[in-house]
């Protein structure tokens, strides 16, 4: 039996997955071409965790577990935003790369904010 979230998750699920793919591709460039290893390792961990925790939320057995997993994903999204800003300010990524990825993560954060507000309101 599908929950309400599973029925409406297509947007957040696909956007978080697409964001993870973009981050993995950026990581390869940062690590192998731009020789940046420390911050890119931090970024790939938290940015790919966003989608992974959304997947765990979808598979939650209770509303409480769903909210908990989505809150973890929400925090990871904020951390991802921090590492992207740091990479931009230290000139490892261009303004165009930064703005594009920032747009994506901000959109994911907005969607999760709405889902969390709705979920917490329905408890």
């Amino acid at each position: 039996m599908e929950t309400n979230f599973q029925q409406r998750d297509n947007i957040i699920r696909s956007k978080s997955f697409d964001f993870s793919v973009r981050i993995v591709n950026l990581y390869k460039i940062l690590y192998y071409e731009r020789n940046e290893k420390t911050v890119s390792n931090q970024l790939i961990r938290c940015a790919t965790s966003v989608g992974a925790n959304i997947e765990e939320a979808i598979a939650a057995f209770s509303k409480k577990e769903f909210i908990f997993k989505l809150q973890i994903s929400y925090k990871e999204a904020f951390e991802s935003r921090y590492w992207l800003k740091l990479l931009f300010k230290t000139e490892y990524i261009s303004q165009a790369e930064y703005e594009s990825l920032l747009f994506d993560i901000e959109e994911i954060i907005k969607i999760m904010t709405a889902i969390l507000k709705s979920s917490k309101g329905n408890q």
Side-chain angles (χ1 to χ4, degrees):
M1 178 177 189
E2 286 192 339
T3 65
N4 286 340
F5 181 71
Q6 288 171 322
Q7 293 169 359
R8 64 181 179 171
D9 76 326
N10 293 337
I11 293 171
I12 190 64
R13 188 182 230 175
S14 65
K15 286 187 181 294
S16 63
F17 183 81
D18 291 345
F19 181 71
S20 291
V21 169
R22 291 189 69 199
I23 292 298
V24 169
N25 288 328
L26 175 62
Y27 174 80
K28 291 187 283 189
I29 293 167
L30 289 169
Y31 194 88
Y32 296 109
E33 295 177 20
R34 299 181 190 167
N35 202 32
E36 197 303 305
K37 302 193 180 353
T38 305
V39 177
S40 58
N41 279 326
Q42 294 283 13
L43 175 63
I44 198 165
R45 284 187 188 108
C46 63
T48 56
S49 179
V50 172
N53 278 292
I54 287 169
E55 288 295 322
E56 286 191 46
I58 291 167
F61 291 109
S62 68
K63 183 167 239 174
K64 184 178 177 181
E65 182 185 5
F66 167 77
I67 292 169
F68 177 72
K69 288 296 183 179
L70 202 61
Q71 286 173 327
I72 291 171
S73 186
Y74 185 79
K75 289 177 169 183
E76 296 290 343
F78 273 81
E79 183 180 346
S80 299
R81 188 171 60 181
Y82 172 82
W83 294 121
L84 287 169
K85 184 176 180 181
L86 184 60
L87 285 165
F88 171 63
K89 292 292 187 176
T90 55
E91 301 178 354
Y92 279 104
I93 61 174
S94 69
Q95 183 168 351
E97 289 170 316
Y98 173 67
E99 289 176 356
S100 177
L101 289 163
L102 183 65
F103 177 83
D104 286 353
I105 198 62
E106 291 287 349
E107 190 173 35
I108 290 167
I109 289 169
K110 286 177 187 174
I111 294 167
M112 282 193 291
T113 300
I115 294 169
L116 283 167
K117 283 183 181 177
S118 171
S119 296
K120 288 178 180 180
N122 293 332
Q123 281 185 322

